[in-house]
Amino acid sequence: MNYRGRFAPSPTGRLHFGSLVAAVGSWLCARHASGQWLLRMEDIDPPREVPGSAQAILGALPAFGLHADLPTLYQSQRHDAYEAAFDRLRKADLVFPCWCSRSDLAGSNGLHRDGYCAAAPVQGREPAWRARVPDIAVDFVDGLQGPQRQWLRETAGDFVIKRVEGYYAYQLACVVDDADQGVTEVVRGHDLLDSTPRQIWLQRALGLPTPSYLHLPLALDTQGRKLSKSDGAHPVDPANPIPALHSALTFLGVTVRHRATDADALLREALERFDRSQLPQLTERNADIFVA
């Protein structure tokens, strides 16, 4: 099977250094494998969206030499695909309606377990729909972080598949889209490592292929917090891409010797020097020591 990677940002603000690291890392892995690199806009959560940010992110990527091989996939246009997957889960009795509130789940640290709703149905209010999670361990080998195991019931519980508002949850949308786009390896930030066992379980439940996974170190600020678009942390400047691109490559352990004057040339040199085995085997790194 030919390699396909992807970068899948959410439109919650401008492209920042942490997102650039994930984009460059996934691009390098795809091009190193002589594969394709795809884009997906995860605009499935309208209340969190920042108007104009999807266009800003997609408009910025070419300035950094990051050109997708196929048109961008928008999750906001994928309701029918998610509905079909949800119907399959419902017919297999792998989801159930739930009216539990946060206070109902306070005694279990916010996790819902055991595959049924303990609260009474609320007249006039739509339920959330949760996965009926079994008491199993999900194992996989991460391409950078090594062997992983998660006891799904204890760690994730009966996670939400469809929200009260009617929006499909990230876990389901991600799994459906990775399969439909033919993604063979998911390269993304370490903050999503914890989501991977849930996604693998959904892939198995839906009969979908499981791609390989590689989780890059998470870029942190000086306070040890994840860089966030919504906080405006370390935005990168498409009008002056070389400094941020150099910093992202250094963050990923890729050394380039020449100061290229354009992003495409810089990425070509980076690709020549790229070695997956030299990616930093860390869960997180302080971005401030790399950002000029």
Side-chain angles (χ1 to χ4, degrees), residues 76-155:
S76 58
Q77 300 172 7
R78 299 272 296 157
H79 178 86
D80 289 350
Y82 309 145
E83 185 78 21
F86 174 74
D87 285 344
R88 289 168 64 187
L89 294 173
R90 186 165 52 182
K91 288 175 181 176
D93 198 29
L94 292 175
V95 293
F96 63 94
C98 182
W99 286 267
C100 288
S101 65
R102 290 183 180 179
S103 59
D104 291 328
L105 303 177
S108 57
N109 294 320
L111 290 181
H112 194 297
R113 298 189 180 98
D114 299 328
Y116 64 91
C117 180
V122 178
Q123 186 72 25
R125 182 165 74 86
E126 291 295 318
W129 285 80
R130 294 180 178 272
R132 201 182 303 277
V133 172
D135 188 13
I136 60 169
V138 174
D139 298 277
F140 69 99
V141 179
D142 187 85
L144 186 60
Q145 306 300 333
Q148 306 291 319
R149 164 171 283 201
Q150 185 182 98
W151 286 94
L152 209 57
R153 178 183 179 276
E154 294 305 313
T155 304

Side-chain angles (χ1 to χ4, degrees), residues 164-226:
V164 171
E165 304 92 336
Y167 304 128
Y168 284 102
Y170 163 76
Q171 307 295 353
L172 180 68
C174 182
V175 160
V176 171
D177 289 342
D178 281 340
D180 285 357
Q181 289 188 286
V183 172
T184 61
E185 183 175 53
V186 175
V187 177
R188 58 189 179 186
H190 189 272
D191 55 323
L192 291 168
L193 180 69
D194 183 66
S195 289
T196 305
R198 279 171 278 178
Q199 293 174 8
I200 291 174
W201 181 81
L202 279 172
Q203 288 154 0
R204 294 171 180 171
L206 291 166
L208 301 176
T210 295
S212 300
Y213 290 93
L214 187 151
H215 289 85
L216 300 166
L218 196 61
L220 305 181
D221 64 15
T222 53
Q223 305 302 314
R225 300 172 301 189
K226 172 191 170 184

